[in-house]
Amino acid sequence: MSSSFPRAQVDIDLDAIRHNLTLLGARAPGAEVMAVVKADAYGHGALPVARAAVEAGAGWLGTCSLGEALALREAGITTRLFSWLDTPDVDFAAGIEADVDLAASSLGELRRIAAAAKPGTPARVHLKIDTGLSRNGCPPAAWAELVAAAAAEPRVDVVAIWSHLACADEPEHPSIDMQAKRFEEAYDAARAAGLDPKRHLANSAALLTRPDLHFDVVRPGIAMYGLNPVPQAEDLRPAMTFRSAVALVKRVEAGESVSYGHTWTTPRDTNLALVPTGYADGVPRSLSGRMDVWLGGRRPVAGRVCMDQLVVDCGDFEPSVGDEVVLFGAGGNGEPTAREWADKLGTIDYEIVTSMYRPRVRRRYLGERS
């Protein structure tokens, strides 16, 4: 390993992202693909991932905030962009000028978007119906008023209606059919108001399990990063690997305690490897005593994870300073995975990878194309 190897690095395999999106697009052959790159592409880096997604055939890119969309436009991304959630004081005019599609979930939001549009340049709007997630979205009781107002507003071009599923990662959950029925009713109401919108409902899980819900556009998120949201096996390749390196090796005798609180004591003479990454770099302290790393094989972390470092119990294996340590990766070589971390923490792998955008964690992109 090079002596310049950083204390904490995530490798992002852009070929894996291209592979995943090609697979996902093939599963929804009649739909356009909107690659979701919100939250800095789930911690993978919005601009490189956006470019890879377009190379893999994505015709749309989805962001949460308008600021995320505008940053992609400013970086030269010309693909259709959709932004769906902002604070009430956001300047929609900047988005309309940059040809970003915007979401409206209420009559007030629709009016703010329309007011920001310049004469002759209508805002491209996707109307969101709340079909049962009860977060963002227009409640069904107010939907008729919203679609009627949108149809009558010359400063707005209604591109689509859309919604989001609550339990698509549980393919047998009854709420999926309930939400699908409400979405169909909302579409019928939009058509009755004189609109002719596209429809998009399917996230990664619904894309993989509910072809009847693909409609006109599908919105793969977590699956494009290689993390599988459904119980069935899929040929998805995790794109992120979290690496560090051994900074120090020492031999200690049995009976010596390790790290804060002396929660772990050596049961035998052993080699300890110091790894200069900790909870400031994305290793949850709550994994103390419950995690392994890959260092010439699976090795347990000894004692508590610290802010800047952790200690690995190597037994009679003696690593060298500079040896690579994999904290999580694709799992194909036996290394821990982001899903393994999530399961131990009682969370989801989305949170693990999204949390890897940190000041001391360097990113390296594999598979970049000129």
Side-chain angles (χ1 to χ4, degrees):
M1 179 179 297
S2 168
S3 60
S4 65
F5 198 89
R7 66 187 305 136
Q9 174 172 296
V10 288
D11 287 350
I12 309 299
D13 184 350
L14 297 176
D15 284 333
I17 289 172
R18 295 185 190 99
H19 163 85
N20 297 332
L21 271 175
T22 299
L23 179 151
L24 293 164
R27 295 287 286 272
E32 300 172 75
V33 174
M34 180 186 296
V36 179
V37 294
K38 66 176 182 175
D40 202 38
Y42 291 46
H44 293 68
L47 182 57
V49 169
R51 288 171 174 157
V54 173
E55 290 163 356
W60 296 72
L61 298 171
T63 68
C64 176
S65 72
L66 181 56
E68 292 172 332
L70 292 175
L72 292 174
R73 273 285 184 264
E74 291 165 5
I77 296 293
T78 59
T79 304
R80 190 86 260 150
L81 291 173
F82 176 45
S83 165
W84 58 73
L85 180 61
D86 266 296
T87 56
D89 60 347
V90 70
D91 179 13
F92 286 124
I96 298 167
E97 185 175 350
D99 199 24
V100 175
D101 289 31
L102 304 169
S105 294
S106 68
L107 194 58
E109 196 168 32
L110 179 72
R111 287 170 174 164
R112 290 196 299 273
I113 293 171
K118 294 179 180 179
T121 307
R124 291 173 54 93
V125 173
H126 300 220
L127 301 176
K128 186 173 187 183
I129 175 70
D130 178 8
T131 55
L133 187 57
S134 298
R135 299 190 315 182
N136 196 23
C138 179
W143 182 248
E145 183 182 21
L146 179 61
V147 294
E153 176 52 73
R155 295 170 295 178
V156 163
D157 177 14
V158 177
V159 175
I161 70 163
W162 69 296
S163 192
H164 197 51
L165 296 167
C167 303
D169 55 349
E170 302 175 57
E172 303 303 319
H173 200 285
S175 69
I176 302 172
D177 286 339
M178 177 271 289
Q179 287 194 257
K181 182 176 183 295
R182 290 179 177 178
F183 189 67
E184 181 180 5
E185 292 168 350
Y187 178 66
D188 289 343
R191 292 296 302 270
L195 299 173
D196 185 23
K198 294 178 183 289
R199 291 168 290 170
H200 53 98
L201 178 65
N203 56 5
S204 289
L207 190 162
L208 291 167
T209 62
R210 293 292 300 258
D212 58 315
L213 302 183
H214 289 169
F215 299 121
D216 303 296
V217 182
V218 291
R219 304 190 307 264
I222 196 67
M224 69 180 275
Y225 303 101
L227 302 176
N228 189 356
V230 295
Q232 68 206 37
E234 297 287 350
D235 182 25
L236 297 170
R237 301 177 187 172
M240 181 184 289
T241 298
F242 182 21
R243 308 179 189 274
S244 186
V246 174
L248 178 70
V249 179
K250 63 176 70 175
R251 184 76 175 173
V252 299
E253 296 180 353
E256 291 294 328
S257 295
V258 176
S259 195
Y260 289 124
H262 279 187
T263 59
W264 187 86
T265 300
T266 56
R268 65 198 181 296
D269 292 358
T270 191
N271 292 313
L272 298 179
L274 183 69
V275 181
T277 187
Y279 58 78
D281 309 294
V283 185
R285 187 174 181 271
S286 52
L287 282 179
S288 298
R290 297 194 289 160
M291 69 177 290
D292 300 329
V293 300
W294 187 264
L295 175 53
R298 282 255 184 167
R299 314 287 174 190
V301 170
R304 287 180 178 160
V305 174
C306 305
M307 184 184 295
D308 311 307
Q309 55 198 288
L310 54 83
V311 179
V312 180
D313 177 21
C314 296
D316 290 329
F317 171 71
E318 186 175 0
S320 299
V321 170
D323 279 357
E324 181 181 73
V325 178
V326 178
L327 291 101
F328 68 74
N333 297 316
E335 73 274 19
T337 64
R339 171 64 62 84
E340 183 178 323
W341 277 26
D343 288 346
K344 289 180 178 181
L345 292 167
T347 186
I348 53 176
D349 44 17
Y350 301 58
E351 181 178 3
I352 302 302
V353 294
T354 304
S355 296
M356 292 312 304
Y357 181 45
R358 292 169 181 265
R360 293 198 311 205
V361 179
R362 189 176 80 180
R363 285 181 181 157
R364 179 176 66 166
Y365 289 94
L366 310 177
E368 284 189 298
R369 296 177 182 173
S370 58

